[in-house]
Amino acid sequence: MNPENEFREGLTDLATHYKSILTLLGEDPQREGLEKTPMRVAKAMQVLTRGYTQDPQQVLTDALFQEDYNQMVIVKDIDVFSLCEHHLLPFYGKCHVAYIPNGYITGLSKIARVVDIFSHRLQVQERLTQQIKECIQATLRPQGVMVVIEAKHMCMQMRGVEKQNSITTTSDFSGVFNDLNTRQEFMSLLRGESKRI
Protein backbone atom coordinates (compact mmCIF):
# COMPACT_ATOMS: atom_id res chain seq x y z
CA MET A 1 0.00 0.00 0.00
CA ASN A 2 1.31 3.42 -0.97
CA PRO A 3 0.24 5.59 1.97
CA GLU A 4 0.13 8.67 -0.25
CA ASN A 5 -2.66 7.57 -2.55
CA GLU A 6 -3.81 3.99 -1.87
CA PHE A 7 -6.15 3.08 0.95
CA ARG A 8 -7.81 -0.12 2.07
CA GLU A 9 -11.42 -1.11 1.84
CA GLY A 10 -13.63 0.42 4.53
CA LEU A 11 -12.14 3.92 4.44
CA THR A 12 -15.52 5.65 4.06
CA ASP A 13 -17.06 3.61 6.89
CA LEU A 14 -14.09 4.45 9.09
CA ALA A 15 -14.57 8.17 8.38
CA THR A 16 -18.27 7.88 9.23
CA HIS A 17 -17.39 6.37 12.61
CA TYR A 18 -14.91 9.16 13.33
CA LYS A 19 -17.63 11.69 12.53
CA SER A 20 -19.83 10.01 15.14
CA ILE A 21 -16.95 10.07 17.63
CA LEU A 22 -16.56 13.83 17.18
CA THR A 23 -20.26 14.27 17.92
CA LEU A 24 -20.04 12.04 21.00
CA LEU A 25 -17.11 14.13 22.25
CA GLY A 26 -19.34 17.23 22.12
CA GLU A 27 -17.99 18.71 18.90
CA ASP A 28 -19.75 19.85 15.76
CA PRO A 29 -18.27 17.81 12.89
CA GLN A 30 -19.84 20.24 10.41
CA ARG A 31 -17.82 23.26 11.54
CA GLU A 32 -15.09 24.48 9.22
CA GLY A 33 -12.09 23.16 11.13
CA LEU A 34 -13.57 19.67 11.57
CA GLU A 35 -15.47 19.19 8.33
CA LYS A 36 -12.70 17.12 6.69
CA THR A 37 -11.28 15.69 9.90
CA PRO A 38 -13.13 12.33 9.86
CA MET A 39 -11.67 11.41 6.45
CA ARG A 40 -8.23 12.74 7.38
CA VAL A 41 -8.20 10.61 10.53
CA ALA A 42 -9.50 7.56 8.66
CA LYS A 43 -6.67 7.88 6.13
CA ALA A 44 -4.11 8.45 8.89
CA MET A 45 -5.28 5.36 10.78
CA GLN A 46 -4.99 3.22 7.66
CA VAL A 47 -1.43 4.47 7.16
CA LEU A 48 -0.58 3.88 10.83
CA THR A 49 -1.90 0.30 10.62
CA ARG A 50 -0.57 -0.58 7.15
CA GLY A 51 1.45 -3.39 8.69
CA TYR A 52 -1.62 -5.61 8.62
CA THR A 53 -1.39 -5.79 4.82
CA GLN A 54 2.36 -6.49 4.63
CA ASP A 55 4.29 -9.74 5.00
CA PRO A 56 7.52 -9.29 7.01
CA GLN A 57 8.85 -12.75 6.13
CA GLN A 58 8.48 -11.97 2.43
CA VAL A 59 10.47 -8.77 2.95
CA LEU A 60 13.36 -10.77 4.42
CA THR A 61 13.33 -13.51 1.78
CA ASP A 62 13.24 -10.95 -1.06
CA ALA A 63 16.83 -10.05 -0.16
CA LEU A 64 18.25 -13.33 1.13
CA PHE A 65 21.88 -14.01 0.27
CA GLN A 66 24.10 -17.01 0.96
CA GLU A 67 27.16 -15.79 2.85
CA ASP A 68 29.82 -17.50 4.95
CA TYR A 69 29.76 -14.95 7.78
CA ASN A 70 29.19 -16.01 11.37
CA GLN A 71 29.80 -12.90 13.45
CA MET A 72 27.25 -10.55 14.97
CA VAL A 73 25.29 -8.28 12.61
CA ILE A 74 23.73 -5.31 14.41
CA VAL A 75 21.25 -2.75 13.10
CA LYS A 76 20.86 -0.06 15.75
CA ASP A 77 18.67 2.97 16.33
CA ILE A 78 15.81 1.93 14.05
CA ASP A 79 13.04 4.46 14.59
CA VAL A 80 9.85 2.93 15.98
CA PHE A 81 6.43 4.58 15.88
CA SER A 82 3.44 2.51 16.92
CA LEU A 83 -0.02 2.74 18.48
CA CYS A 84 -0.65 1.21 21.88
CA GLU A 85 -3.62 -1.09 21.55
CA HIS A 86 -4.95 -0.14 24.98
CA HIS A 87 -5.57 3.58 24.34
CA LEU A 88 -4.70 4.03 20.63
CA LEU A 89 -2.05 6.53 21.67
CA PRO A 90 1.44 6.52 20.16
CA PHE A 91 4.58 5.05 21.60
CA TYR A 92 7.89 5.81 19.95
CA GLY A 93 11.58 5.17 20.33
CA LYS A 94 14.42 3.05 19.00
CA CYS A 95 14.78 -0.62 18.14
CA HIS A 96 18.11 -2.44 18.08
CA VAL A 97 18.41 -5.81 16.32
CA ALA A 98 21.32 -8.26 16.27
CA TYR A 99 21.63 -11.66 14.64
CA ILE A 100 24.43 -14.11 14.00
CA PRO A 101 24.04 -15.65 10.53
CA ASN A 102 23.98 -19.34 9.83
CA GLY A 103 24.81 -19.40 6.12
CA TYR A 104 22.42 -16.63 5.04
CA ILE A 105 22.18 -12.88 5.50
CA THR A 106 19.52 -10.38 4.47
CA GLY A 107 19.72 -6.80 3.25
CA LEU A 108 20.27 -4.47 6.20
CA SER A 109 17.34 -2.27 5.23
CA LYS A 110 15.09 -5.35 5.40
CA ILE A 111 15.63 -5.59 9.15
CA ALA A 112 14.34 -2.02 9.50
CA ARG A 113 11.39 -2.89 7.24
CA VAL A 114 10.43 -5.82 9.48
CA VAL A 115 10.44 -3.45 12.48
CA ASP A 116 8.30 -1.00 10.49
CA ILE A 117 5.74 -3.63 9.48
CA PHE A 118 5.16 -4.96 12.98
CA SER A 119 5.11 -1.48 14.51
CA HIS A 120 2.43 -0.37 12.04
CA ARG A 121 -0.13 -2.56 13.79
CA LEU A 122 -1.92 -2.04 17.10
CA GLN A 123 0.70 -3.17 19.58
CA VAL A 124 2.10 -3.52 23.04
CA GLN A 125 5.86 -3.07 23.24
CA GLU A 126 6.43 -6.52 24.71
CA ARG A 127 4.69 -8.31 21.84
CA LEU A 128 6.30 -6.06 19.22
CA THR A 129 9.74 -7.04 20.54
CA GLN A 130 8.85 -10.73 20.43
CA GLN A 131 7.31 -10.62 16.94
CA ILE A 132 10.40 -8.99 15.42
CA LYS A 133 12.65 -11.61 17.01
CA GLU A 134 10.45 -14.55 15.99
CA CYS A 135 10.11 -13.36 12.39
CA ILE A 136 13.87 -13.01 11.90
CA GLN A 137 14.55 -16.32 13.65
CA ALA A 138 11.96 -18.24 11.62
CA THR A 139 12.89 -16.70 8.27
CA LEU A 140 16.70 -16.45 8.34
CA ARG A 141 17.25 -19.38 10.73
CA PRO A 142 20.35 -17.70 12.17
CA GLN A 143 22.39 -18.94 15.12
CA GLY A 144 20.46 -16.46 17.22
CA VAL A 145 18.58 -13.15 17.31
CA MET A 146 18.30 -10.41 19.92
CA VAL A 147 15.94 -7.44 19.86
CA VAL A 148 15.88 -4.49 22.26
CA ILE A 149 13.31 -1.68 22.12
CA GLU A 150 13.49 1.55 24.14
CA ALA A 151 10.33 3.64 23.92
CA LYS A 152 8.30 6.43 25.43
CA HIS A 153 4.55 5.93 25.72
CA MET A 154 2.11 8.79 25.27
CA CYS A 155 -0.43 6.92 27.39
CA MET A 156 1.97 7.47 30.31
CA GLN A 157 2.86 11.04 29.32
CA MET A 158 -0.56 12.49 28.43
CA ARG A 159 -2.86 10.56 30.77
CA GLY A 160 -2.71 8.31 33.82
CA VAL A 161 0.50 8.88 35.77
CA GLU A 162 1.66 11.66 33.39
CA LYS A 163 5.34 10.82 33.71
CA GLN A 164 7.21 12.65 30.95
CA ASN A 165 10.68 11.13 31.08
CA SER A 166 10.13 7.43 31.68
CA ILE A 167 11.49 5.02 29.07
CA THR A 168 10.33 1.42 28.76
CA THR A 169 12.94 -1.11 27.65
CA THR A 170 12.04 -4.59 26.42
CA SER A 171 14.24 -7.37 25.06
CA ASP A 172 13.88 -10.82 23.58
CA PHE A 173 16.48 -13.25 22.31
CA SER A 174 17.03 -16.74 20.93
CA GLY A 175 19.77 -19.23 20.10
CA VAL A 176 23.33 -18.18 20.91
CA PHE A 177 22.02 -15.06 22.66
CA ASN A 178 20.91 -17.33 25.48
CA ASP A 179 24.59 -17.20 26.40
CA LEU A 180 25.18 -14.33 28.83
CA ASN A 181 28.51 -13.34 27.24
CA THR A 182 26.92 -12.99 23.80
CA ARG A 183 24.11 -10.84 25.21
CA GLN A 184 26.63 -8.71 27.09
CA GLU A 185 28.64 -8.15 23.91
CA PHE A 186 25.53 -6.86 22.16
CA MET A 187 24.47 -4.68 25.10
CA SER A 188 27.95 -3.21 25.53
CA LEU A 189 27.92 -2.12 21.88
CA LEU A 190 24.54 -0.45 22.43
CA ARG A 191 25.67 1.31 25.61
CA GLY A 192 28.77 2.59 23.91
CA GLU A 193 27.17 4.12 20.84
CA SER A 194 23.36 4.06 21.08
CA LYS A 195 21.71 7.49 21.12
CA ARG A 196 19.11 8.55 23.65
CA ILE A 197 15.53 9.01 22.46
Side-chain angles (χ1 to χ4, degrees):
M1 180 175 95
N2 182 343
E4 296 301 320
N5 53 26
E6 294 178 22
F7 295 96
R8 306 195 298 272
E9 188 176 340
L11 183 67
T12 302
D13 288 342
L14 196 55
T16 299
H17 287 295
Y18 277 115
K19 185 174 181 179
S20 298
I21 288 170
L22 289 174
T23 302
L24 290 168
L25 291 174
E27 267 290 358
D28 175 11
Q30 301 301 322
R31 72 175 174 84
E32 184 180 7
L34 291 177
E35 194 173 2
K36 295 182 180 179
T37 295
M39 183 55 73
R40 286 191 194 107
V41 177
K43 288 179 178 179
M45 288 301 290
Q46 284 206 352
V47 170
L48 294 172
T49 59
R50 66 178 181 260
Y52 289 118
T53 64
Q54 298 170 325
D55 182 351
Q57 289 189 315
Q58 184 67 49
V59 165
L60 290 176
T61 56
D62 280 349
L64 193 62
F65 308 103
Q66 192 166 1
E67 192 67 44
D68 186 22
Y69 181 81
N70 60 2
Q71 300 300 315
M72 198 177 299
V73 177
I74 302 174
V75 184
K76 298 191 304 182
D77 294 323
I78 302 167
D79 290 323
V80 171
F81 300 94
S82 193
L83 289 176
C84 169
E85 68 181 32
H86 299 145
H87 301 99
L88 297 188
L89 289 173
F91 65 93
Y92 61 96
K94 300 289 184 183
C95 179
H96 317 287
V97 178
Y99 76 98
I100 297 179
N102 189 22
Y104 290 91
I105 61 171
T106 189
L108 297 177
S109 67
K110 304 306 179 184
I111 299 293
R113 288 269 291 122
V114 168
V115 173
D116 186 67
I117 289 170
F118 283 118
S119 64
H120 279 77
R121 300 176 182 184
L122 301 183
Q123 282 289 8
V124 294
Q125 184 175 330
E126 296 88 342
R127 184 173 65 239
L128 174 60
T129 308
Q130 185 177 40
Q131 286 177 333
I132 295 166
K133 184 265 301 185
E134 288 177 348
C135 177
I136 295 169
Q137 183 65 50
T139 308
L140 300 183
R141 300 193 183 281
Q143 297 178 54
V145 181
M146 185 163 179
V147 177
V148 174
I149 297 178
E150 304 167 290
K152 291 186 175 183
H153 291 249
M154 297 303 285
C155 60
M156 287 184 66
Q157 294 179 289
M158 295 178 65
R159 57 161 299 283
V161 294
E162 296 186 5
K163 299 302 179 189
Q164 305 306 310
N165 298 309
S166 63
I167 295 174
T168 301
T169 302
T170 50
S171 68
D172 198 6
F173 50 86
S174 64
V176 293
F177 286 96
N178 283 293
D179 178 72
L180 179 60
N181 290 331
T182 308
R183 291 200 307 277
Q184 286 179 334
E185 178 186 351
F186 175 47
M187 296 306 294
S188 67
L189 289 169
L190 294 185
R191 281 194 299 269
E193 299 176 27
S194 178
K195 300 170 187 173
R196 296 293 290 173
I197 296 170

